[in-house]
Amino acid sequence: MSDGGQDPNPATQTPSDAELDGVVNKLQCSIQEWATRHELWFDCGFQSYADRIEGEPEETPVVTILYFNGDLGRALDGDFHGLDMEFCELLERQGFWYERNDSFSAHIYPQDTSPLFQPFLNRENWQWVCGLIQQDVADVYEELYSHFAKRPEDLHRLNWREFETLLFRIFQSQGFTCELGPGSNDGGIDVRLLQRDPLGDILTLVQAKRYAPKHKINMSAVAALHGVADVEAAQKSIFVTTSNYLPSARRFAGRTRIPMTLATSDDVRDWCRDASEGIIRDKSKLVTPQAVSLLLQNLAHRDPRIVHTSIGYSVIMNQFAIILKETKHAALLMVIPSQTISDDGYGQRGYEVPEIGAACLERLTADTVFRAKRSLYNGKVRYWNGQNLYSPWDGVPKLFDLY
């Protein structure tokens, strides 16, 4: 008989993030102990998928990434008799398996039959969604909206600033000109919406409160919003909360001279669903052929809009792309062909440069236009699509080596 009304079968309960962390820590400790015992633990460590990859989750969750530089990698390649199989058995006993990602790292996954498979996948997806809560990436990454459209209860897991930023992006998707408040000393207003109208612009003030369900909004909170709307001569106001409203708050909102909307998580869910459905999945449709043609005509030899990355595990290959569109945090890139300018006579080793011309326009398809996160590192811009890191091409021919 269960005690205290708890589930008698703990395996049916969804593990918390802390419990998943405990599983990962135990796994990491066992790997480090094993590698240390075999004198392999040098320049090694662990990173999360979110920290190391910063890209979209895979279909199978990566619970941790083992990185190395030296004999541990050789051992996993089978250079030390039997140690690669020993490592596989170590992971299997704990319900995991691994796959080499590149020369310096291995991804560790839960077995498909593991009860932790889905919890780890849910957590990885959540970390990805949280990484998208920026002021200018949601038009490229529709997952930001679709997640909360399906799981509005996760709004409670956002911090207050993330909640405000999410609302800011939602209202932008609805066509408003928006201003996100500074987050503190904002006069009680988190987002200002301006709707252009031939008869006069319409200003709407938005107050956001990320509260637990039991913490309901009282009359004084909505009265404060109405007071600011009156002072700023706003035409409308919206109060948005993840909880709900006391009857006194609803009665007050119904009597205000300036129309006030009281919204909850259900409304945010509906807004996210509308925004997600309005986003084009085929990213090549976000840029017209005319715009790409003009871009190609204006590209210079050393143009920062031409980017490059080296790819390949045991060979060296190059991939060039051009930036079609970019904001502070996101970008759309299109792969372009490369042209060999010298080789060894067999086409196996040599140098190549990007091929820029009218033929590139034919590459404006769903298969060659992709999204990337834009960031600055040591003052230099770079673009990461979850698999490859692109940086502006320096104009120097790039080595390829298929040997």
Side-chain angles (χ1 to χ4, degrees):
M1 187 177 209
S2 63
D3 183 26
Q6 296 181 348
D7 191 332
N9 183 7
T12 63
Q13 297 179 353
T14 302
S16 65
D17 287 346
E19 290 171 327
L20 293 177
D21 288 339
V23 172
V24 175
N25 289 336
K26 179 182 177 182
L27 172 65
Q28 292 173 341
C29 288
S30 67
I31 292 173
Q32 183 172 351
E33 187 277 330
W34 173 84
T36 302
R37 177 158 38 88
H38 291 290
E39 299 182 349
L40 301 173
W41 193 257
F42 300 101
D43 295 326
C44 304
F46 299 98
Q47 278 186 293
S48 70
Y49 187 88
D51 290 338
R52 188 174 182 89
I53 302 300
E54 296 182 355
E56 300 179 47
E58 301 178 5
E59 293 183 357
T60 301
V62 180
V63 299
T64 189
I65 295 177
L66 170 64
Y67 64 86
F68 40 77
N69 185 17
D71 285 346
L72 180 54
R74 294 177 56 203
L76 299 185
D77 284 337
D79 291 353
F80 297 97
H81 182 67
L83 287 186
D84 54 334
M85 295 304 300
E86 191 175 315
F87 182 73
C88 289
E89 292 169 359
L90 170 70
L91 298 186
E92 187 176 352
R93 287 195 298 270
Q94 301 180 66
F96 299 94
W97 61 282
Y98 85 98
E99 186 174 63
R100 286 291 291 271
N101 182 57
D102 51 36
S103 302
F104 306 104
S105 66
H107 289 186
I108 300 179
Y109 307 91
Q111 294 176 359
D112 292 349
T113 56
S114 170
L116 297 179
F117 184 96
Q118 192 61 45
F120 272 121
L121 183 60
N122 291 343
R123 183 170 75 160
E124 198 165 277
N125 285 329
W126 172 251
Q127 292 172 339
W128 164 247
V129 168
C130 285
L132 298 179
I133 302 180
Q134 303 284 351
Q135 293 186 25
D136 62 2
V137 302
D139 56 337
V140 177
Y141 291 95
E142 70 274 5
E143 294 96 318
L144 175 62
Y145 296 140
S146 61
H147 179 92
F148 294 108
K150 297 173 183 176
R151 303 187 60 174
E153 66 275 9
D154 278 350
L155 292 169
H156 297 288
R157 300 174 64 186
L158 299 175
N159 64 42
W160 63 271
R161 187 57 172 173
E162 290 171 336
F163 184 54
E164 292 176 1
T165 305
L166 174 63
L167 293 177
F168 169 80
R169 293 299 292 132
I170 289 172
F171 291 124
Q172 277 191 331
S173 75
Q174 295 176 352
F176 289 101
T177 299
C178 302
E179 177 186 325
L180 180 65
S184 60
N185 299 321
D186 54 14
I189 302 303
D190 300 311
V191 184
R192 287 173 168 80
L193 313 179
L194 188 61
Q195 189 174 12
R196 301 297 182 182
D197 188 276
L199 300 179
D201 295 341
I202 299 174
L203 174 64
T204 302
L205 304 184
V206 181
Q207 174 69 54
K209 291 295 183 185
R210 187 199 59 80
Y211 283 164
K214 63 181 181 180
H215 189 173
K216 295 185 178 182
I217 304 300
N218 57 30
M219 187 184 74
S220 62
V222 297
L225 173 60
H226 180 262
V228 177
D230 188 31
V231 169
E232 295 198 13
Q235 285 70 45
K236 298 180 181 179
S237 65
I238 304 174
F239 204 112
V240 189
T241 183
T242 53
S243 60
N244 215 314
Y245 301 89
L246 292 173
S248 59
R250 291 191 178 278
R251 287 194 297 269
F252 181 89
R255 302 194 308 267
T256 56
R257 180 180 60 82
I258 300 171
M260 177 183 291
T261 298
L262 301 184
T264 65
S265 295
D266 290 342
D267 296 289
V268 179
R269 175 201 60 203
D270 294 339
W271 297 339
C272 286
R273 183 184 297 119
D274 292 341
S276 178
E277 292 174 352
I279 291 178
I280 300 173
R281 267 58 174 179
D282 180 357
K283 301 308 173 187
S284 65
K285 302 298 184 184
L286 295 177
V287 184
T288 65
Q290 293 79 9
V292 177
S293 177
L294 182 62
L295 170 63
L296 293 170
Q297 294 174 25
N298 293 329
L299 285 177
H301 178 65
R302 291 194 179 187
D303 197 303
R305 291 171 293 183
I306 304 173
V307 295
H308 164 266
T309 188
S310 294
I311 59 177
Y313 174 40
S314 58
V315 297
I316 300 174
M317 296 183 291
N318 299 293
Q319 188 170 95
F320 295 96
I322 56 174
I323 301 169
L324 301 179
K325 174 184 177 182
E326 67 178 324
T327 62
K328 183 178 180 181
H329 298 289
L332 285 180
L333 278 65
M334 182 180 76
V335 175
I336 59 174
S338 59
Q339 177 182 8
T340 300
I341 59 172
S342 65
D343 63 28
D344 58 354
Y346 300 97
Q348 298 297 299
R349 180 186 292 129
Y351 290 88
E352 54 191 4
V353 296
E355 184 177 347
I356 303 169
C360 291
L361 191 58
E362 299 175 1
R363 298 230 168 186
L364 186 63
T365 67
D367 294 331
T368 59
V369 175
F370 59 96
R371 338 177 267 190
K373 284 189 173 182
R374 182 185 185 275
S375 62
L376 290 175
Y377 182 73
N378 290 336
K380 297 182 179 180
V381 66
R382 58 184 187 176
Y383 307 88
W384 174 248
N385 71 339
Q387 295 179 319
N388 300 303
L389 185 65
Y390 294 80
S391 57
W393 179 50
D394 57 8
V396 177
K398 295 302 180 182
L399 171 71
F400 69 90
D401 189 343
L402 305 183
Y403 290 117

